Each structure stands twice: as structure tokens, then as C-alpha cells.
Amino acid sequence: MPDALDATPYDALLLLSFGGPEGPDDVVPFLENVTRGRGIPRERLKEVGQHYFLFGGVSPINDQNRALLDALRKNFAEHGLDLPVYWGNRNWAPYLTDTLREMVADGRRRVLVLATSAYASYSGCRQYRENLADALAALAAEGLELPKIDKLRHYFNHPGFVEPMIDGVLRSLADLPEDVRAGAHIAFTTHSIPTSAADTSGPVETHGEGGAYVEQHLDVAQLIADAVRERTGIDHPWRLVYQSRSGAPHIPWLEPDICDHLEERHAAGVPAVVMAPIGFVSDHMEVLYDLDTEATAKAEELGLPVRRSATVGADPRFAAAVRELVTERAAVERGQEVTPCALGALGPSHHLCPVGCCPARAPRPAAAGADSPYA
């Protein structure tokens, strides 16, 4: 048996994710949850839902989270980390509030949260913290004893997140026809967000053009490109590009879009492209539709060979990274000296989101940060 690892003072880990429909009847109600408060007509949601109906009305994200839960529990057990793992979603069952209620009933009082978003942004960090605050408020209204909640730091540059993506890009390059492989371009993709949200992402000192959101993605892209060069001897050109834009067309969002980028690279004479979705933890709907369906169709139209590399998913190295993040944060809470593990130029992220980090347009309470009303 392995020596027991110490998670004290924490008594549970919560996997916090976006959620997705698990059948055709779930699609529109799910989208109503996602867009609540925006006044989007139901007929428009049915149109948007066509992406899901192409895949039987089922988002892969839930099964991918189940696989990650299994990987985490297996890794924890193999390494002597006695920490139960729960799962809650923002927009679909199992809902976050229900999961927290279950955790309270199970006697959990110090909870660590792993969000399925590796980077700093409003939608990828603070909005999850707002969801936690909403759930805690609901439990308080029921008279329940509230657990203290902390969130694991951003893990975009942890080796256990970066190394599986390096391998994915190498496999995709090797899968290209030999006559176009050496000249292949790498398009590192992530979710487009409004430029105003990007500019205010991360702590206040990182605010500016692109903010921490763009800076962190560029750091990861450089890490992967450098590793590919070291392992193949070829310095592949690359660019950070964006996908999955939504919202009003008059609002500026991060560009270029992946499909526009494929057209531009083809016109420039690039012989092939590897699309590497570094902004996503798993192969969920936005990867399957926006890259595997829409962008791949654009490449076929252009006659441009493309491959799409895998996301991290439930890779054992990612599960090990989460274990390391848990024991690191637990040691910090116990007042011990720790050396956080991080690659690249930016170093490890903060353990506690500071005041002003990734602000919302309309301020709302957010848990698990320096400005949390639930200390």
C-alpha cells in the first residue's frame, strides 16, 4: 500500500463543470439554462440546438466528466489520497446546488473545487465562483451548515495538462501525409470571448490587451511548439486562433476565427494544418462541432489536409496533476512551504483569486476568492 497523502484540512473534492444534454428532449431546456436572462426566443434555441441534434441530442461532456471522475478516484486510491470526489454542473444534472446539498448531508465541511477550465476568464473562473456563491446562498436559505470552499489554481501550465497535448500534436503531425508533414502549420485554438472580457481577465495587474486569457494561451502554445521542435527537429509555424464565437455581431470578440484562419493559411500556400484545441479540457460539443465538423468541412472545401489533436480528457497524467494540485493546496492551507509545479514563462497561478480578478459586467457575489462573502 502507498504511503497516505495528506489532504488535511480538506475532506472532499468537487469536479465543477458546464453540463450538457443527454438526449434530444434535454437540448432546449439545457440551452434555456445556459442563456437564462438573455431573452433569447425558444425558436432560436431550437436552431442553436441543431449542433446537438447532429449527435443525437447528446453532449459528450457528461461521459467525459464521468471518465475523469473514474481516473481521479483511481489515481487517488493508487497513491493513498483518501479524498472523496463529487461532481456538479452549472447547467445540467447533476446540478451544483444538489451536489453541494449532498456533500453537506455527507458531513463534508472543507471542499476543494476543480473547475473544468484551465485558464483565467470570467466564464472560465469567476462565473463558476458566482455559481458556487448562488449554491451556498440556496443552502443557507434552507438552514444548512455551509462548507468552506476553495478553488484549485489555474492549471494551464502544469506538466500534467501540457504534456498530453504535446503528445496529441505529435500524433496528429505523424498522421499527416509525409509530403506535407514538415511544412504543416499548427493552429492552437481556444474559445473566443468578447475582447472586453479578455482585456480584464486575470488579476488587475494583468489587465490590458488580451489580459491573462490571451497571455496564458500564448504561453501554452509556445511550450507545445518548443517541445514539438525539440522532438522532431522541425520548427513548425503556429498561431493562436479562436472558435465557438456567439453573441451579437457588433460586439468585438477575439479573432481570427479558425475557419477564416484556414482560408488565410491555404491562400498563403501552407500545405497542411494541425488544429490543437488547447483551450478545452475534453472533446466536448464545441470541439466536435466547431472543429471536427465545421472547420474540417472548410478544410475539405479548400483541399487543405488537416488533423485535429486530442484534448487532455481523462489522461492519467492529468489525473496525477490534479492529485498534485490538491496536495499542494492542502499544504498551503496547513501553512507549509511548497514549490508549485508549473512550466513556461508565467509561473504558477495564484491560489486565491484576488479582488478585481476577471470582473463581471454586473457585480455579483462570488465564492472561493478574496472577495468571497463566505469566508
Side-chain angles (χ1 to χ4, degrees):
M1 292 293 292
D3 294 333
L5 295 177
D6 192 0
T8 308
Y10 298 106
D11 55 19
L13 177 70
L14 169 63
L15 176 66
L16 178 55
S17 192
F18 193 81
E22 303 215 62
D25 292 342
D26 296 345
V27 172
V28 173
F30 162 74
L31 293 173
E32 288 175 333
N33 287 343
V34 173
T35 62
R36 181 167 287 116
R38 301 184 201 173
I40 299 176
R42 188 176 178 86
E43 290 307 311
R44 173 59 182 151
L45 295 180
K46 290 180 180 179
E47 294 175 19
V48 174
Q50 293 306 313
H51 296 182
Y52 291 95
F53 292 129
L54 286 174
F55 297 89
V58 178
S59 170
I61 193 170
N62 292 325
D63 278 345
Q64 289 161 7
N65 279 326
R66 292 182 184 105
L68 179 56
L69 285 168
D70 288 344
L72 292 173
R73 289 164 179 157
K74 180 175 184 288
N75 184 277
F76 288 7
E78 289 175 346
H79 291 83
L81 181 61
D82 183 16
L83 194 70
V85 186
Y86 295 75
W87 171 33
N89 288 324
R90 172 186 292 168
N91 296 301
W92 202 249
Y95 288 103
L96 171 59
T97 301
D98 295 336
T99 300
L100 279 182
R101 188 181 294 110
E102 176 189 357
M103 296 175 81
V104 169
D106 289 347
R108 311 305 174 192
R109 295 295 178 262
R110 289 296 303 271
V111 176
L112 261 178
V113 173
L114 167 68
T116 54
S117 176
Y119 301 85
S121 70
Y122 170 73
S123 59
C125 183
R126 185 176 179 88
Q127 191 173 8
Y128 281 118
R129 293 177 49 225
E130 291 175 353
N131 299 147
L132 286 165
D134 291 342
L136 289 171
L139 298 190
E142 298 171 12
L144 298 177
E145 182 178 353
L146 301 185
K148 180 174 175 10
I149 294 180
D150 292 319
K151 180 177 175 291
L152 289 173
R153 65 178 172 90
H154 300 301
Y155 47 85
F156 63 93
N157 56 2
H158 194 288
F161 186 68
V162 175
E163 289 167 359
M165 293 191 292
I166 294 170
D167 289 347
V169 171
L170 289 169
R171 285 193 298 269
S172 292
L173 286 166
D175 192 48
L176 284 167
E178 188 173 358
D179 60 334
V180 299
R181 190 179 304 152
H185 170 87
I186 305 173
F188 294 105
T189 79
T190 190
H191 205 302
S192 184
I193 61 175
T195 57
S196 59
D199 294 347
T200 56
S201 58
V204 172
E205 60 268 22
T206 68
H207 292 182
E209 187 175 355
Y213 186 73
V214 172
E215 181 182 48
Q216 291 170 359
H217 281 88
L218 287 173
D219 197 42
V220 171
Q222 187 67 64
L223 281 167
I224 297 173
D226 288 347
V228 169
R229 183 186 65 250
E230 291 167 4
R231 298 183 197 185
T232 66
I234 299 172
D235 191 7
H236 289 274
W238 62 269
R239 184 169 180 182
L240 177 63
V241 302
Y242 302 93
Q243 62 174 90
S244 312
R245 177 191 167 131
S246 60
H250 67 279
I251 297 175
W253 284 52
L254 292 173
E255 295 178 337
D257 176 78
I258 178 61
C259 289
D260 294 338
H261 183 64
L262 291 176
E263 288 187 337
E264 186 272 333
R265 288 292 78 202
H266 178 257
V270 165
V273 173
V274 167
M275 302 181 292
I278 62 172
F280 305 92
V281 172
S282 65
D283 288 4
H284 54 58
M285 185 56 68
E286 286 166 319
V287 174
L288 293 187
Y289 183 81
D290 296 331
L291 295 183
D292 293 355
T293 304
E294 193 172 52
T296 299
K298 170 58 70 175
E300 290 174 355
E301 173 190 319
L302 296 168
L304 177 67
V306 294
R307 297 292 186 272
R308 195 268 292 173
S309 66
T311 53
V312 172
D315 189 289
R317 288 168 292 183
F318 182 46
V322 174
R323 170 176 44 81
E324 291 172 9
L325 290 167
V326 167
T327 55
E328 170 196 300
R329 181 59 183 273
V332 168
E333 290 298 303
R334 295 194 301 267
Q336 296 175 261
E337 291 289 331
V338 297
T339 302
C341 188
L343 302 174
L346 299 181
S349 184
H350 48 263
H351 287 293
L352 188 69
C353 290
V355 175
C357 193
C358 304
R361 285 180 296 175
R364 293 178 53 205
D371 55 353
S372 172
Y374 300 99

